Structures are given as C-alpha cells and as structure tokens.
Amino acid sequence: MSATRYTYLGPEGTFTEAALRTLPEAAARELVPMVSVPATLDAVRNGEAAAALVPIENSVEGGVTTTVDELAKGEPLMIYREVVLPITFALLVRPGTALTDIKTVTGHPVAQPQVRNWLAAHLPDALWESAASNADGARLVQEGRFDAAFAGEFAAATYGLVPLVSEIHDAVNAETRFVLVGRPARPAAPTGADKTSVVIWLGDDHPGALLELLQEFAVRGVNLMRIESRPTGQGIGNYCFSVDAEGHITDRRVGEALMGLKRICPQVRFLGSYPRAGAAPADVRPLRPGTSDEAFMAAADWLARSQDGRF
C-alpha cells in the first residue's frame, strides 16, 4: 500500500480537491485524481492509496448516492474524518465568450439544483448536460464541447478558462460534506464532538420495521443527524438505511444502540466514528437524563449486584 498517496474525485480543479487540500496532512501526500467515486474508493481497497476523499452530502441536493452506495457494498471501508466546504459556483467560459454566446452548459449533476434559478433567469434557453464532475465540465468547455461550465472559480486557470460570472448560488450558505475514507482499523479516540456512521439492513418488511430500528437509538438518547434509504438492488421495496448518529462507538449509549441493531438486523455495517467537522464538545447538545456513560455503568452495576443478591 502506498502510505503517501491520497486519491480524490477528479480531475484537477474539483471541489473535492479543494476540500482535500484543507487537511494538514495533504501537504505531505501525493494527491491523485480519479475518474469516478468507485475508482477513487477502489484505489484504497486494492492498496494503491492509503485514503480517499469523496463527497457524500450536499446541503441543497442531499446525499451523494454514488458514495453512499459504494460505502454500503463491496470490501468494507471506514470513514476517518469529514470536511465541510462552502460551495459557490462560477460560470467558466473560453476567453472572449459573452453571455449571449452561451447555448450549452455543463457541470456535475449535484451542481444543477444549486444553480437552477440562476440559469432560468439568465440563460433560460441554454441546454444543460451533466458531466462526471464540475472540473470535468471545465475540461469539456476547454475542448470546445460546451460553451460554459459551472465549477469552482479556482478551476479556471487549470483549464485556460475565465470566470464570466462569479458567486453563483441559489441557496445562500450552501455546503458540501466530504469524507476521508481508508481501510478498516481502530477508530480514533473520542473527542467529545463525534459522529458515527452505519448502514443498516431490514430483516423483513413488516409494519413498524423502520420504527424498531429508530427505537434502538431513541431509547438510548442517541440523536440521528442523517438517515437515508437506499435500494439494495434485490427488488422493489428492499432497502437499507445509511445513518449518521451523534456520538462515538465507545460511548455506552452508541455502542448499546449498535448492539441492539445487530440483534434485530441481518446486517449492520459500521462505517466509522470520527470528529464532526468544525465542532467542539461545547457544541454538542446536552445528553438526555440517564444516557451518560456513568448512567449506563451504574445500571450495569445495579444489575450485577441484583443478580448476586447484593442490595
């Protein structure tokens, strides 16, 4: 395995690359762009890279389904940290292009909902076609296959383009969340402001099946930060659930919730416990009464004493 190589969703000039370069360790790594999310993660699975950064969630469009699905299947991988990057687009064009010249535009599919209103107001007749990434859209404009691309303004110089319009976004404060993924190992020590990610499969479809899963978290005071259903590929109506929960697997409430899920589900895939981006322990909501590690330990001690006849 190359311990000095990190892969990311490329090509050069993507928001994923920009997010990766915010990590201090990236300065000491060889950063290698890949053509797709599966290729980016497979480089870690087959030992070509130590870690990979991929987008997983957008505040406007929701989950990045390719990443969610790739982490749920295949050889297990684990999330070690997350990066949240503010997202704003520029309309990149070849030098000399005017707004009235633009008949075709491109960008990543997740970008389109974030600029839809701007497009309708300023380029209502332009034809949109999706690209593999925003930076790949810039490359296609460079090659003359499209008139303009929505991408990060920082990508312009890489592809010999110029930003015709900057600071484009339909939703103010739009953000994309990225995760750094590696091979499974012991999670980092808890920080007090952590997140735990899992994928959960339903055993069978019956009334209250999803409620049973959620109750494993709720009765232990574990807050869910994201839950998303994804098809398993085994027919209509068969789903697994990708879940982010507050807390660390070593927290008693989180660990017991995962054990509860393991008892009632045919499969639970642990994706990692890792620090929440930009969060400190002071940012974490107060625990519900009876859900601290001390409360769980006291209850276990009470049960042991009761079993021994020590009241």
Side-chain angles (χ1 to χ4, degrees):
M1 176 184 296
S2 176
T4 62
R5 181 178 299 148
Y6 281 5
T7 54
Y8 66 91
L9 177 61
E12 293 181 46
T14 58
F15 285 109
T16 310
E17 181 187 10
L20 180 55
R21 291 189 181 278
T22 68
L23 300 180
E25 61 267 36
R29 301 292 191 274
E30 177 190 4
L31 308 184
V32 181
M34 306 297 286
V35 297
S36 66
V37 168
T40 304
L41 297 177
D42 283 345
V44 178
R45 289 186 169 112
N46 62 30
E48 295 177 10
L53 194 82
V54 288
I56 195 169
E57 183 182 8
N58 177 264
S59 61
V60 175
E61 186 66 359
V64 180
T65 55
T66 303
T67 299
V68 173
D69 292 345
E70 282 296 314
L71 291 176
K73 66 184 183 182
E75 186 180 344
L77 295 169
M78 206 163 96
I79 299 170
Y80 286 93
R81 63 188 303 172
E82 65 178 9
V83 178
V84 175
L85 190 73
I87 300 296
T88 185
F89 294 92
L91 187 68
L92 304 186
V93 299
R94 294 180 295 276
T97 301
L99 199 62
T100 53
D101 299 327
I102 297 174
K103 308 302 180 186
T104 57
V105 294
T106 187
H108 191 274
V110 174
Q112 188 180 20
Q114 301 180 65
V115 298
R116 183 182 293 123
N117 293 339
W118 189 95
L119 267 174
H122 298 89
L123 293 170
D125 298 322
L127 176 66
W128 170 283
E129 186 173 328
S130 294
S133 68
N134 296 310
D136 192 55
R139 179 185 63 80
L140 295 174
V141 172
Q142 180 189 43
E143 294 176 355
R145 295 170 61 181
F146 293 91
D147 297 324
F150 288 97
E153 188 167 341
F154 48 80
T158 301
Y159 296 98
L161 305 177
V162 295
L164 184 61
V165 184
S166 300
E167 297 292 325
I168 299 173
H169 46 69
D170 289 351
V172 179
N173 300 323
E175 297 175 317
T176 294
R177 175 177 163 239
F178 303 83
V179 288
L180 186 69
V181 177
R183 296 181 68 84
R186 182 181 294 275
T191 66
D194 301 291
K195 183 181 291 185
T196 292
S197 297
V198 292
V199 183
I200 309 162
W201 279 258
L202 287 176
D204 61 86
D205 187 16
H206 62 270
L210 177 57
L211 178 61
E212 292 171 3
L213 304 186
L214 298 179
Q215 284 177 329
E216 295 296 332
F217 294 104
V219 298
R220 296 173 177 88
V222 178
N223 183 53
L224 298 188
M225 307 180 74
R226 181 185 66 88
I227 180 167
E228 182 175 354
S229 63
R230 295 297 302 154
T232 63
Q234 298 176 356
I236 297 294
N238 289 290
Y239 294 92
C240 61
F241 295 88
S242 177
V243 174
D244 293 335
E246 280 186 334
H248 194 277
I249 191 173
T250 59
D251 297 337
R252 290 296 185 98
R253 65 189 185 282
V254 177
E256 288 206 10
L258 297 184
M259 286 192 292
L261 291 168
K262 186 62 179 175
R263 288 195 299 268
I264 65 175
C265 298
Q267 185 179 356
V268 178
R269 173 171 285 197
F270 174 63
L271 293 180
S273 290
Y274 47 93
R276 287 167 50 188
D283 301 321
V284 177
R285 73 184 71 242
L287 296 179
R288 279 175 44 194
T291 61
S292 67
D293 278 6
E294 292 76 15
F296 276 98
M297 293 169 64
D301 180 65
W302 172 85
L303 180 62
R305 286 188 288 105
S306 298
Q307 290 171 338
D308 291 341
R310 297 181 287 112
F311 298 102

